[in-house]
Amino acid sequence: MNLLIALLLAAQSSPHLKVCGVDWPPFSYAEQGNLKEGISVEIHQEVAHRLGMSLTLLELPWGRCEQYVNTELADGILDNAPLPGCYHSDLATAFYPLAAYVRSDSPLQTFSWEMAKGLKVGMVRGYDYTDRIKHFTGWVPIKAHSDKQLLLMLEKSRVDMIVLDYFSAPILSKEQDVKIRALTPFIDSTPLYLCFGKQRAELLPAYNKALQQMLDEGVLDRIYLRYLGEDYRTLKEKQERMKAAQ
């Protein structure tokens, strides 16, 4: 622990972190403008605690969150893809398996890139989808402001299917009372990280050590088990197998 604090102090004198993100159950749950609980919230709160830092987690629309980090109003984005300009830890702290969802009364059963050609597909404006999804030109992308709006668009048949992540889709479906069904197989999957802006990139050596300790001690496994019924290591292995098969 002393080593971690020494690394932190050597890297950055500010004892406070301000991170923004979106309401994304079960990884983050928003309440009155802040992210209060969830898998990612608990993980990064524990890291901050081990580093002797305070952590503020703001709920912001994705595009505004990116602007906050770019203008140094926030130090990082919670659960972001490892894009250029993302300074992230060695260990992913969240996973983003994406599936195509249809209304429960839809005749569609399986997903393929061929069957998706010509369909109207709902996605959230500003989300960092994988390259495979972003660059596919066969479908007609219809943009929404949030995952919840996606569900309403699907319910009213304004789109043929929507792209949601596999973990949060059942929660959102229940909250919005919209019956949906996932097509198989998954469209794609990507690991996610707390992405620091360059102004706080020097925190990474200490952050990496804290996360590795939490993995070794089983802390990450216990957090994941409480929310998802599967441990961190199992989901990480599934993610790696999926990417290897592509």
Side-chain angles (χ1 to χ4, degrees):
M1 182 64 72
N2 290 336
L3 175 60
L4 291 178
I5 294 174
L7 282 168
L8 175 69
L9 293 175
Q12 178 58 254
S13 58
S14 174
H16 181 70
L17 273 177
K18 182 185 289 185
V19 173
C20 54
V22 297
D23 182 56
W24 184 42
F27 291 91
S28 53
Y29 293 84
E31 181 182 328
Q32 297 182 337
N34 292 288
L35 302 176
K36 293 291 191 180
E37 59 181 16
I39 295 170
S40 297
V41 171
E42 289 195 25
I43 288 173
H44 295 291
Q45 284 176 336
E46 177 62 20
V47 173
H49 174 73
R50 290 176 182 233
L51 298 181
M53 303 184 77
S54 61
L55 174 64
T56 298
L57 288 161
L58 302 175
E59 181 203 11
L60 291 173
W62 193 259
R64 194 186 307 170
C65 183
E66 290 180 317
Q67 292 175 358
Y68 266 49
V69 176
N70 291 336
T71 57
E72 301 189 13
L73 291 173
D75 299 309
I77 303 177
L78 189 66
D79 294 335
N80 198 10
L83 301 170
C86 167
Y87 298 85
H88 62 81
S89 57
D90 294 336
L91 285 175
T93 49
F95 306 100
Y96 195 38
L98 292 162
Y101 282 84
V102 295
R103 291 180 9 166
S104 59
D105 59 357
S106 170
L108 299 175
Q109 297 292 329
T110 59
F111 175 83
S112 72
W113 297 102
E114 184 64 29
M115 62 77 72
K117 289 180 178 178
L119 297 184
K120 292 183 291 184
V121 179
M123 291 181 277
V124 177
R125 182 178 291 106
Y127 272 17
D128 292 320
Y129 294 103
T130 61
D131 285 344
R132 177 185 266 189
I133 292 171
K134 286 190 295 187
H135 300 319
F136 182 64
T137 59
W139 56 32
V140 180
I142 307 295
K143 298 300 178 69
H145 295 296
S146 66
D147 288 326
K148 293 177 181 178
Q149 187 181 13
L150 279 185
L151 285 164
L152 296 177
M153 289 166 56
L154 183 64
E155 182 182 37
K156 297 179 185 301
S157 298
R158 293 176 183 167
V159 292
D160 300 301
M161 62 186 185
I162 59 177
V163 178
L164 286 175
D165 79 273
Y166 186 71
F167 297 130
S168 67
I171 299 170
L172 292 166
S173 172
K174 184 175 181 180
E175 287 179 352
Q176 299 298 302
D177 193 26
V178 178
K179 292 180 172 58
I180 59 176
R181 174 168 46 79
L183 303 183
T184 56
F186 288 148
I187 301 176
D188 207 352
S189 183
T190 190
L192 300 179
Y193 306 82
L194 195 169
C195 284
F196 289 110
K198 62 182 179 180
Q199 68 272 21
R200 300 306 291 268
E202 59 267 40
L203 291 175
L204 285 174
Y207 224 86
N208 281 330
K209 283 189 173 291
L211 278 173
Q212 187 61 50
Q213 282 185 350
M214 291 165 63
L215 177 63
D216 295 340
E217 295 167 7
V219 175
L220 299 183
D221 286 334
R222 290 194 291 274
I223 292 173
Y224 266 81
L225 277 167
R226 276 196 286 107
Y227 284 92
L228 293 175
E230 283 191 276
D231 61 45
Y232 172 85
R233 294 170 195 265
T234 298
L235 290 168
K236 184 172 183 290
E237 288 171 2
K238 287 182 177 180
Q239 165 75 32
E240 291 168 351
R241 286 198 300 270
M242 185 181 301
K243 299 309 289 184
Q246 292 176 359

